[in-house]
Amino acid sequence: MSSFSEMRNLLLFLYDSKIISDEEFLTLYESHSSKNPEFPYSSYPEFDFDQMDESECLAEFRVRKQDITLLANVLQLPDTIRCPQRTTCHRTEGLCMLLKRFSYPCRYSDMIHRFARPVPEISMITNTMMDHIFLSHGHRISQWNFDILSPPMLQEYADVIHAKGAPLSNCFGFIDGTVRPISRPGQHQRIVYNGHKRVHSLKFQSVALPNGLIGNMYGPVEGRKHDASMLVDSNLLQELERNAFSPTGQPMSVYGDPAYPLRIHLQAPFRHGVLTPMMEQFNFDMSSVRVTVEWLFGDIINDFKFLDFKKNLKIGMSSVGKMYLVCALLNNAVTCLYGNKTSEFFGLDPPSLQYYFR
């Protein structure tokens, strides 16, 4: 038979015709029941974005209704999203489907009432959307982005950080690694086990900017990897040596925790020998502004809580690393639209959505 429902209908016919017994019917009916029940999706009304309430849209998609179309435009989504097996949908529906999937740890079956589609279609559409955004725009955070990391902008970042109390006058951002817990894998558990956090995880390295954006992100790497080792693999130091200069040619730097080495373009706290009061004050002042990098990590998880549901983040079964990168990119988009705590703290507005995705 072509589907579980056809087989079950046949069993009902055989049972009604007294061809099979009660025991045979129960055994066969249970063995031919789908693990993912076929919900009556056709009984729900088709997705109609125009009829959605403004507050409902913001709660479900983390983006205001008036900005959904703008986001679809800057992401350069095609009018019709086509999946490999020929399922199609309008780009607005596909974007809303992806945003709802990431905004809260829901199952695909929980989305049926909203989009009136079966689980396989919802899964394929969200994965197609995620792949499109990653392939078309992933370079904006995985590579050196000259649109937001040009010399004049690096100087502007350094000026607002220094004005906020940082002793360094050439620090334009903050570097740190984040550990994202995942479901315990069946194999290679030691590779992804982070002994410090005591979780199986993937790690990412990010450079946070004072306008609330993540300027650069590297990953995923296995959870047991040290931040200093991740720094080497990312080639970020080489990028800094090539591009991190002010308009006057002064070397600009990022600031990290004691795990990072000390370089011209990479500064860290005083940590060797006996610290003088001035050294301790330097560490304290830099720490008070560096905490903003943790705020950005929190923003990603708060806006896209699906990433915080580790039981559903299974490497080998889903693109866990790609999910985090796409959510970080979408978080930058949300920041461009509405700002965040980091941009308010430094008093520096993020660029417009059109500028970031130009």
Side-chain angles (χ1 to χ4, degrees):
M1 289 293 167
S2 60
S3 68
F4 285 106
S5 60
E6 292 179 359
M7 177 58 76
R8 291 196 295 271
N9 290 336
L10 176 61
L11 290 174
L12 289 171
F13 172 77
L14 294 175
Y15 177 71
D16 186 62
S17 302
K18 309 296 184 181
I19 298 176
I20 58 177
S21 65
D22 293 353
E23 183 178 357
E24 290 172 330
F25 170 76
L26 291 174
T27 302
L28 292 171
Y29 192 87
E30 183 177 356
S31 64
H32 289 86
S33 295
S34 172
K35 295 182 179 179
N36 295 312
E38 294 183 6
F39 292 84
Y41 61 90
S42 59
S43 63
Y44 293 108
E46 291 186 2
F47 176 73
D48 189 349
F49 179 72
D50 294 333
Q51 297 300 318
M52 286 193 68
D53 184 75
E54 175 70 34
S55 60
E56 191 177 29
C57 184
L58 182 61
E60 291 193 27
F61 308 141
R62 299 296 188 266
V63 179
R64 295 193 178 104
K65 184 176 180 180
Q66 62 186 16
D67 297 322
I68 290 287
T69 302
L70 174 61
L71 182 58
N73 288 335
V74 298
L75 289 175
Q76 301 175 5
L77 300 178
D79 290 336
T80 301
I81 304 299
R82 300 183 184 278
C83 300
Q85 48 59 267
R86 299 180 183 178
T87 293
T88 62
C89 74
H90 189 267
R91 66 174 186 171
T92 301
E93 181 182 7
L95 179 58
C96 291
M97 206 176 289
L98 180 70
L99 292 172
K100 182 171 178 61
R101 172 64 169 169
F102 285 152
S103 65
Y104 199 76
C106 63
R107 299 172 297 177
Y108 285 123
S109 58
D110 298 329
M111 300 166 61
I112 291 177
H113 77 282
R114 170 57 69 191
F115 299 101
R117 289 178 180 267
V119 168
E121 287 191 12
I122 296 176
S123 175
M124 285 181 285
I125 292 172
T126 54
N127 285 325
T128 300
M129 289 292 302
M130 181 173 66
D131 290 341
H132 175 84
I133 294 175
F134 178 78
L135 293 174
S136 300
H137 304 284
H139 65 278
R140 300 184 190 278
I141 57 174
S142 62
Q143 300 175 16
W144 188 269
N145 189 341
F146 287 96
D147 288 335
I148 60 173
L149 296 174
S150 63
M153 299 192 78
L154 295 184
Q155 184 65 62
E156 183 179 17
Y157 301 152
D159 290 342
V160 297
I161 291 175
H162 184 58
K164 203 63 182 178
L168 291 174
S169 61
N170 68 334
C171 173
F172 70 86
F174 308 97
I175 183 173
D176 199 8
T178 182
V179 176
R180 293 311 316 153
I182 60 173
S183 178
R184 180 177 178 177
Q187 297 179 344
H188 311 299
Q189 296 181 25
R190 292 184 179 181
I191 296 177
V192 296
Y193 185 75
N194 184 281
H196 178 63
K197 300 289 186 178
R198 297 185 179 181
V199 292
H200 295 88
S201 62
L202 298 177
K203 292 189 70 174
F204 297 83
Q205 172 187 277
S206 300
V207 174
L209 303 176
N211 61 0
L213 296 181
I214 293 178
N216 183 269
M217 178 173 284
Y218 172 75
V221 299
E222 56 272 24
R224 70 175 183 179
K225 204 149 202 173
H226 192 271
D227 286 355
S229 178
M230 188 162 50
L231 174 68
V232 174
D233 294 342
S234 68
N235 292 321
L236 179 62
L237 279 178
Q238 288 83 347
E239 291 289 349
L240 290 169
E241 291 171 355
R242 283 194 294 265
N243 304 305
F245 294 93
S246 70
T248 59
Q250 178 190 10
M252 308 298 284
S253 67
V254 292
Y255 185 82
D257 59 31
Y260 292 100
L262 188 62
R263 299 289 187 272
I264 294 177
H265 296 279
L266 175 58
Q267 298 296 307
F270 290 101
R271 56 187 183 271
H272 297 303
V274 178
L275 300 185
T276 66
M278 291 184 63
M279 293 177 178
E280 292 179 349
Q281 187 63 44
F282 174 91
N283 289 352
F284 177 82
D285 291 339
M286 290 303 301
S287 177
S288 64
V289 291
R290 183 187 169 275
V291 70
T292 56
V293 71
E294 301 293 344
W295 297 349
L296 288 185
F297 292 151
D299 288 340
I300 297 175
I301 302 303
N302 289 333
D303 283 340
F304 304 103
K305 290 185 181 295
F306 180 84
L307 299 174
D308 208 24
F309 187 55
K310 72 175 185 178
K311 291 185 177 180
N312 209 26
L313 302 177
K314 302 176 181 179
I315 56 175
M317 297 186 66
S318 57
S319 304
V320 180
K322 186 187 296 184
M323 288 179 185
Y324 189 83
L325 291 168
V326 170
C327 285
L329 188 64
L330 291 174
N331 183 73
N332 274 359
V334 172
T335 300
C336 289
L337 288 170
Y338 315 123
N340 59 20
K341 186 178 179 180
T342 301
S343 63
E344 293 176 1
F345 177 79
F346 287 106
L348 182 62
D349 293 332
S352 67
L353 192 65
Q354 295 90 334
Y355 179 85
Y356 183 73
F357 284 100
R358 65 176 183 174

